[in-house]
Amino acid sequence: MREELLGGPRERWRGLARRPRWVLVVYVIGFVEGTCAHVLDLARGGVHAYAAFAPVPVQVLFVSLVVLDPLVVVLVGLVRPAGVRLGAGVMALDVLANWIVNWSYMQADPARLLRPVGLLPITLFGLFVLATAVPAVRAVHGAATGRGVAPRVLT
């Protein structure tokens, strides 16, 4: 049974406590950055930009992130629980795919993980999204339905 969302995005943003609001802002920033990275990759290399180093299922995922990442941004910006859920799923797959692609490099040189661009920020952002997803969904659901069911973890 689907519940009716109350108010517009402004009212739902106002209905969030400070911490959940900041969590969603970090989501938006991270997914916008991911969108830009994948758009740039596709602009440089076309639809086969990832063919040199990724298996076909991973290539399909990386190309689909050009649509999925901005969809997360829009849904989170509208303060929809589906945006947080989609974001968690996208990041779980994105982190897994990046570790699969980089595994041989990591075995050869584990110090690569310490580089500020690449696997480290993707992994940290993914862990952040996965660690905050359940409380964020609860907070967003409370703001979206007017119930104010903000979890103690994020309030």
Side-chain angles (χ1 to χ4, degrees):
M1 186 169 181
R2 194 167 178 188
E3 295 189 32
E4 187 66 31
L5 298 179
L6 300 177
R10 284 186 184 152
E11 290 80 21
R12 292 193 297 269
W13 276 101
R14 283 188 205 120
L16 291 171
R18 180 175 287 160
R19 285 188 188 156
R21 194 177 306 156
W22 278 107
V23 165
L24 295 187
V25 167
V26 172
Y27 278 29
V28 168
I29 292 168
F31 283 102
V32 165
E33 190 280 330
T35 299
C36 293
H38 290 285
V39 167
L40 286 173
D41 288 345
L42 291 178
R44 288 185 206 132
V47 74
H48 299 291
Y50 308 104
F53 59 87
V56 173
V58 173
Q59 291 177 52
V60 170
L61 172 66
F62 288 162
V63 170
S64 71
L65 291 177
V66 172
V67 174
L68 294 174
D69 282 352
L71 181 58
V72 172
V73 170
V74 168
L75 290 172
V76 168
L78 294 172
V79 194
R80 303 288 181 141
V84 177
R85 290 185 189 108
L86 179 61
V90 165
M91 284 315 301
L93 291 173
D94 195 9
V95 169
L96 178 64
N98 273 283
W99 273 91
I100 288 169
V101 167
N102 287 289
W103 184 249
S104 61
Y105 302 118
M106 294 303 300
Q107 287 183 317
D109 182 17
R112 285 180 68 119
L113 183 60
L114 301 177
R115 294 182 182 168
V117 175
L119 197 54
L120 180 63
I122 292 167
T123 301
L124 292 176
F125 180 65
L127 290 173
F128 173 79
V129 169
L130 293 174
T132 60
V134 171
V137 165
R138 289 181 184 149
V140 168
H141 181 73
T145 60
R147 292 190 179 164
V149 185
R152 298 182 84 179
V153 175
L154 291 178
T155 55

